[in-house]
Each structure stands twice: as C-alpha cells, then as structure tokens.
C-alpha cells in the first residue's frame, strides 16, 4: 500500500503577528538536522480527518455541513514552554487544557453527524504548536501565553512538502465567560534570556 500524499486536518492557525512573535521565541538551534517551520505554517492541529492519495474536492462541503448549526465557543489555550522533542521543537501547554478538550469534543460530535471521524487520536488530545522538525537540543524556554483562537480552519497538507493550504475557515463563538483577551488578544511581554 502506498503512503498518502494529502492530509486534511482541522485546527487553529496562528495569526501572522503572533506567529512572528512566536518564531522569535525559539532559541537558536545548531545543526543540519533541524528545520524550523515558516511562521505562516504555525498551527494547532485538533484532528486529522482524512489521508489520501488524491485531493478530496468534496470534503470542504461535507465539513461545512457538519458546522452548519454553528461551532462551539472559543476557549483559551494556556501555553507555557518551548521544548525540544526527539522529532523537533514544540510550544506546549501549561496548566489545565479541559476547556480546549471540551471544544474539541464538541467539534468531533458535529463531524460525527456527517460520518467524519478523527484519525490518530488513540492517545488523546495533546495541544501543541510545532515550530520545527528534526534533531535539536536546548533548555526549555518559558513562554507564558494564553491564546484564544478565533477561527477553526480546514487545511490540506501535501505530506512531506511542508505545504499547507487553508480550504475553509469558520469563526468560533466568543468565549462563554467574559474574556477581554478574545477581543484584544494581547501578546505577552518578551521573556528575558540570561546572557
């Protein structure tokens, strides 16, 4: 069986101003085995919904029908550190991710009505933003950032080529509790690094 060429996933794309800020937080990584992602590709994947050899032109319509009645409210995602992993660098969460799990479960329930099931979720939801791939070693970098995404996006990825194409976007409802950050979405102050 041949490996798939296209991956379709739902997630939250980091806006350009925040992606640029986030890229500047990644420490210098030496070596030829690490490749940083372009900041415009930064995203948090909620779930992969298809992997295929050929493009799926009808998938966006099917997903849109799942969300016709609306989407759940946005929820803040508490990020805390950039860490090196065996396969790359990631921005990972700090504290409770219960709210984002509820948002994820509500999205999955809407998809189920159109017979769309998430793939690769046996280990559960682990919210993170990948910043680069390959071998890298550095001490964790503290990054205190409470991010409230505003849109859910459907992305088509050409596997292995680091090309992402946003096929569709849907606005999320405002957070259930009063949250000024949803409107202003302020960036945290820059972290000072020891010399």
């Amino acid at each position: 069986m041949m490996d798939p060429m296209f991956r379709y996933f739902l997630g939250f794309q980091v806006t350009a101003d925040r992606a640029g800020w986030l890229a500047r937080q990644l420490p210098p990584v030496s070596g030829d085995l690490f490749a940083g992602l372009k900041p415009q590709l930064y995203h948090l994947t909620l779930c992969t919904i298809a992997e295929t050899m050929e493009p799926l032109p009808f998938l966006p319509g099917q997903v849109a029908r799942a969300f016709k009645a609306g989407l759940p409210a946005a929820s803040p995602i508490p990020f805390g550190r950039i860490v090196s992993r065996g396969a790359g660098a990631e921005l990972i969460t700090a504290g409770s991710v219960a709210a984002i799990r509820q948002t994820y479960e509500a999205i999955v329930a809407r998809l189920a009505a159109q017979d769309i099931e998430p793939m690769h979720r046996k280990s559960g939801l682990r919210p993170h933003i990948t910043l680069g791939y390959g071998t890298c070693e550095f001490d964790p970098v503290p990054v205190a950032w409470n991010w409230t995404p505003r849109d859910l996006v459907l992305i088509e990825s050409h596997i292995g080529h680091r090309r992402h194409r946003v096929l569709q976007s849907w606005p999320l409802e405002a957070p259930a509790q009063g949250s000024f950050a949803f409107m202003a979405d302020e960036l945290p102050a820059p972290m000072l690094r020891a010399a």
Side-chain angles (χ1 to χ4, degrees):
M1 184 172 184
M2 296 179 69
D3 290 334
M5 293 182 62
F6 295 92
R7 177 176 293 133
Y8 295 87
F9 61 89
L10 290 164
F12 306 125
Q13 191 160 16
V14 180
T15 58
D17 60 335
R18 284 145 186 86
W21 170 84
L22 189 51
R24 292 187 296 276
Q25 306 310 303
L26 183 65
V29 179
S30 61
D32 297 334
L33 300 177
F34 179 80
L37 277 178
K38 294 177 182 174
Q40 63 264 31
L41 298 180
Y42 289 171
H43 64 274
L44 186 150
T45 300
L46 285 178
C47 58
T48 298
I49 57 173
E51 291 181 340
T52 63
M53 289 300 299
E54 300 291 330
L56 295 177
F58 301 109
L59 184 64
Q62 190 180 5
V63 175
R65 284 190 296 279
F67 299 147
K68 189 175 181 181
L71 284 168
S75 58
I77 305 168
F79 289 107
R81 292 179 299 152
I82 296 174
V83 297
S84 65
R85 299 267 191 216
E90 298 177 351
L91 174 64
I92 61 171
T93 56
S96 174
V97 292
I100 188 62
R101 284 189 196 285
Q102 287 178 334
T103 301
Y104 166 76
E105 289 168 5
I107 288 169
V108 168
R110 286 164 173 80
L111 291 170
Q114 291 293 317
D115 295 322
I116 301 171
E117 293 187 22
M119 304 171 68
H120 315 299
R121 274 286 174 244
K122 292 179 178 66
S123 61
L125 181 66
R126 186 180 67 83
H128 68 280
I129 297 173
T130 300
L131 305 178
Y133 293 103
T135 304
C136 61
E137 288 187 26
F138 55 84
D139 291 332
V141 177
V143 176
W145 181 34
N146 240 5
W147 179 42
T148 304
R150 297 175 187 214
D151 299 297
L152 177 69
V153 294
L154 173 62
I155 295 176
E156 177 187 73
S157 170
H158 197 171
I159 298 173
H161 296 278
R162 296 194 182 129
R163 286 197 302 255
H164 293 171
R165 185 167 64 118
V166 174
L167 300 178
Q168 208 153 352
S169 177
W170 299 270
L172 296 165
E173 295 294 323
Q177 72 240 13
S179 174
F180 296 111
F182 187 76
M183 301 309 276
D185 210 6
E186 302 268 334
L187 290 173
M191 300 296 287
L192 298 177
R193 291 197 186 113

